[in-house]
Amino acid sequence: MATTFDDIIDMGLSKVQDYKLDQLYSVNPQYFQVITDAFLKNHLGDFSCCRQSLDYDVSTRSFVSDFTTQEKDILSDLWVYSWLEWHINNVTQFENVLTDNDYKRHSAAENLKQKSEYFDRIREKYSQRMIDYQLSNLASYIA
């Protein structure tokens, strides 16, 4: 059975807590689906070492492949990475704080720094998982 987008997105959602996505789902489930599908598709190319096809059918919201648990976990890490990238690239993070309170400026800068560090850790995590994936399938790459 082909892996659905929801299979991967549900795994990704279990790794993050985002009240904005929760609210979006409550208000507009169709738009929630568009946004979360985009997160999934954004970094599929990063998993170029996947032994199975990453092709998908937009109308059924499913891949043509039936991914292993390991492959699904890597794809869900990529989903989280894309989700976090969306948060970090939010233009409001780069706007000046309206007050002159140094605490608020520092707090916004510190928040962005922490998100960026977490972003790097997520990239390292999925990169390591891809290396482990390749090593576990090394015989098939040689043959």
Side-chain angles (χ1 to χ4, degrees):
M1 186 169 114
T3 301
T4 67
F5 284 13
D6 289 333
D7 294 336
I8 306 301
I9 291 168
D10 289 347
M11 287 179 75
L13 286 169
S14 73
K15 298 175 183 183
V16 299
Q17 290 184 339
D18 187 345
Y19 73 91
K20 291 179 185 177
L21 283 180
D22 293 343
Q23 185 177 23
L24 178 60
Y25 181 78
S26 298
V27 173
N28 190 339
Q30 291 80 20
Y31 189 60
F32 170 85
Q33 199 173 68
V34 168
I35 294 293
T36 56
D37 287 3
F39 292 159
L40 178 58
K41 293 183 275 187
N42 281 348
H43 288 281
L44 285 178
D46 292 354
F47 195 17
S48 59
C49 63
C50 186
R51 296 187 63 236
Q52 299 194 64
S53 173
L54 292 171
D55 292 339
Y56 55 87
D57 182 350
V58 175
S59 62
T60 61
R61 297 182 61 251
S62 62
F63 292 93
V64 298
S65 302
D66 183 17
F67 295 120
T68 65
T69 302
Q70 185 180 24
E71 291 162 339
K72 289 177 186 177
D73 201 32
I74 292 169
L75 288 169
S76 70
D77 283 346
L78 289 171
W79 185 93
V80 170
Y81 182 76
S82 185
W83 166 83
L84 188 57
E85 182 177 50
W86 179 59
H87 279 280
I88 290 173
N89 290 335
N90 184 345
V91 293
T92 60
Q93 295 290 334
F94 301 105
E95 293 177 356
N96 288 333
V97 178
L98 297 176
T99 67
D100 287 334
N101 186 334
D102 287 339
Y103 173 76
K104 287 186 178 182
R105 285 188 192 182
H106 176 71
S107 185
E110 187 63 29
N111 185 22
L112 183 58
K113 179 184 174 190
Q114 293 297 323
K115 285 180 179 179
S116 295
E117 288 174 1
Y118 183 65
F119 187 66
D120 291 340
R121 285 195 309 270
I122 293 292
R123 183 178 31 239
E124 289 171 9
K125 179 181 174 183
Y126 81 70
S127 294
Q128 184 61 51
R129 287 194 179 178
M130 285 186 210
I131 290 168
D132 294 345
Y133 172 80
Q134 288 175 310
L135 290 173
S136 68
N137 295 296
L138 190 57
S140 65
Y141 289 106
I142 296 171

